[in-house]
Amino acid sequence: MERENSDNKIIKTGEVKVKDLVPFFGICCFLVSCYSEIPDCLGAVCENTLCCFNAKMIVCKTSKEEEAICKCCAFDFDIVHFHTCCKSRTQSFCIELRSSMPPSKQIPCLITVCFFTLVYEYKLACKCCTDVRDLVKLVYVTAEDDHGSTADQWVEICDPATYRMYYLNKHTGVSQWEKPENFE
């Protein structure tokens, strides 16, 4: 049990939610982004998965634990069930790099150059200096007239931070966790 508690503390310490990232450069399943929330952006975290090997390292990160102020150095190496070919997340101060093969929920598919996002999740975005949270709203919320049925107004989206499905109204921009009536 002590081992599980240690792993949970390591995960809490270096967590950055994908919705808070501002993409700088991205091609499909490779993403370089900016994250400037202080004190969370301080220090470094590196998480790598290759087939069934999983490694995580934390250096000089502010700690989420009650007794600790800073996590000076933590390293964890596990052999896990095979679920992805390779996945990597590295955060060094305000720069974060993510990649995955095959693509995963933590690495959205996008095309971004110098903070200008052209495509997000296979849909035209054309937005500059915006975070992933706003890109989701941009590509799924439309300004079309309200001619469709109530069910046609909603789209189901996976929240990259929690992996839960939520529902976004394409016309109003309203989102909710509960499945709308008549949604198919």
Side-chain angles (χ1 to χ4, degrees), residues 38-140:
I38 295 187
D40 295 338
C41 71
L42 303 175
V45 175
C46 183
E47 296 175 271
N48 294 298
T49 301
L50 180 61
C51 298
C52 58
F53 300 104
N54 192 23
K56 182 168 184 172
M57 182 177 69
I58 295 175
V59 179
C60 296
K61 290 291 287 179
T62 55
S63 181
K64 307 272 190 218
E65 300 170 31
E66 288 181 26
E67 300 88 30
I69 297 169
C70 178
K71 179 71 78 175
C72 294
C73 187
F75 185 77
D76 200 11
F77 184 82
D78 296 312
I79 297 175
V80 296
H81 293 287
F82 179 79
H83 60 277
T84 188
C85 183
C86 61
K87 182 168 61 172
S88 178
R89 180 179 84 86
T90 303
Q91 179 252 322
S92 182
F93 293 95
C94 64
I95 303 299
E96 175 149 321
L97 295 98
R98 294 181 183 214
S99 62
S100 180
M101 188 53 76
S104 70
K105 294 175 184 174
Q106 296 93 351
I107 295 100
C109 183
L110 49 75
I111 298 174
T112 301
V113 178
C114 294
F115 291 108
F116 186 76
T117 301
L118 300 167
V119 175
Y120 178 80
E121 294 295 339
Y122 310 105
K123 295 182 188 321
L124 189 62
C126 294
K127 198 72 173 172
C128 189
C129 297
T130 189
D131 60 27
V132 172
R133 176 187 305 107
D134 289 340
L135 288 171
V136 168
K137 290 179 183 173
L138 178 72
V139 300
Y140 290 108

